[in-house]
């Protein structure tokens, strides 16, 4: 049975982000290997993973995508600067330039969007990494930057459960 997962800001091969965010890996190679291993430990080929931006240092996309299980979709972030065709050719099922609506309620975006309790939507996003300005989740949002989700995709079921029990 297919499951849906989310992740953002993986920044595979990006040593600048690795240092800037103080990621808990000794090397960039260890970071890449560990995140691939975590991803593949529970994502099955029929599962869908939405990457909410900033996937990989330019030029390494095909290599990383080939090593990751599941069907991958990209909502482009500020570091994803190539054409949609480029990312599809690398291995993404589909690529989106703008936020998309998931299950008629969840806005999937790279950067956080303004939502409040009077709006009929909630936002799943990345971009902010570990910034203390943003909570990891509330009734109206969930941040899936890797630093907040233990460097592996998080299931839609878990997001839904946490938001509805907030």
């Amino acid at each position: 049975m297919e499951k849906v997962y989310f992740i953002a800001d993986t920044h595979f091969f990006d040593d600048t982000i690795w240092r800037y965010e103080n990621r808990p890996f000794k090397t960039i190679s260890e970071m890449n290997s560990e995140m691939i291993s975590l991803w593949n430990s529970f994502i099955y080929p029929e599962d869908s993973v939405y990457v909410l931006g900033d996937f990989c240092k330019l030029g390494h996309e095909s290599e990383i995508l080939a090593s990751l299980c599941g069907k991958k979709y990209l909502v482009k972030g500020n570091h994803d600067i190539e054409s949609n065709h480029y990312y599809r050719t690398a291995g993404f099922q589909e690529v989106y330039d703008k936020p998309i609506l998931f299950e008629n309620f969840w806005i999937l975006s790279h950067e956080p969007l303004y939502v409040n309790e009077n709006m009929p939507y909630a936002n799943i996003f990345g971009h902010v990494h570990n910034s203390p300005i943003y909570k990891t989740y509330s009734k109206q949002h969930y941040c899936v930057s890797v630093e907040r989700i233990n460097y592996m995709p998080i299931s839609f079921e878990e997001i839904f459960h946490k938001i509805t029990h907030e």
Side-chain angles (χ1 to χ4, degrees):
M1 183 167 153
E2 174 194 359
K3 285 188 163 190
V4 176
Y5 294 87
F6 299 93
I7 194 167
D9 306 305
T10 49
H11 288 278
F12 287 104
F13 283 97
D14 192 334
D15 56 341
T16 302
I17 296 296
W18 167 68
R19 282 192 311 274
Y20 182 72
E21 292 297 330
N22 296 313
R23 289 189 172 178
F25 308 100
K26 292 182 179 126
T27 65
I28 196 76
S29 178
E30 180 185 305
M31 179 185 81
N32 294 340
S33 296
E34 185 65 20
M35 287 196 303
I36 291 167
S37 178
L38 288 167
W39 179 305
N40 289 337
S41 67
F42 60 91
I43 303 294
Y44 293 97
E46 66 271 14
D47 293 336
S48 294
V49 181
Y50 286 86
V51 177
L52 303 185
D54 295 356
F55 175 66
C56 187
K57 189 171 184 177
L58 195 58
H60 297 278
E61 296 86 358
S62 295
E63 172 187 350
I64 294 295
L65 286 165
S67 67
L68 296 172
C69 293
K71 297 174 280 192
K72 283 83 65 183
Y73 300 86
L74 177 64
V75 176
K76 288 167 79 173
N78 53 302
H79 289 260
D80 307 311
I81 59 172
E82 289 296 324
S83 70
N84 292 2
H85 175 75
Y86 173 88
Y87 292 108
R88 280 189 213 103
T89 301
F92 281 103
Q93 298 288 314
E94 190 53 78
V95 181
Y96 307 93
D97 289 312
K98 307 252 190 262
I100 61 170
L101 195 57
F102 176 75
E103 294 199 355
N104 297 315
F105 180 75
W106 307 89
I107 303 170
L108 309 181
S109 62
H110 176 59
E111 295 185 25
L113 301 175
Y114 175 76
V115 292
N116 67 44
E117 62 187 28
N118 299 316
M119 298 171 126
Y121 301 105
N123 183 209
I124 302 174
F125 62 90
H127 185 64
V128 299
H129 296 266
N130 255 338
S131 171
I133 296 170
Y134 294 89
K135 290 172 51 177
T136 299
Y137 65 92
S138 74
K139 289 184 179 190
Q140 295 300 127
H141 83 274
Y142 204 105
C143 178
V144 296
S145 291
V146 295
E147 293 85 2
R148 295 172 186 248
I149 59 171
N150 298 315
Y151 299 91
M152 58 188 173
I154 184 170
S155 72
F156 177 67
E157 292 169 344
E158 186 173 345
I159 290 171
F160 183 79
H161 178 76
K162 284 185 177 178
I163 285 179
T164 57
H165 291 88
E166 164 69 7

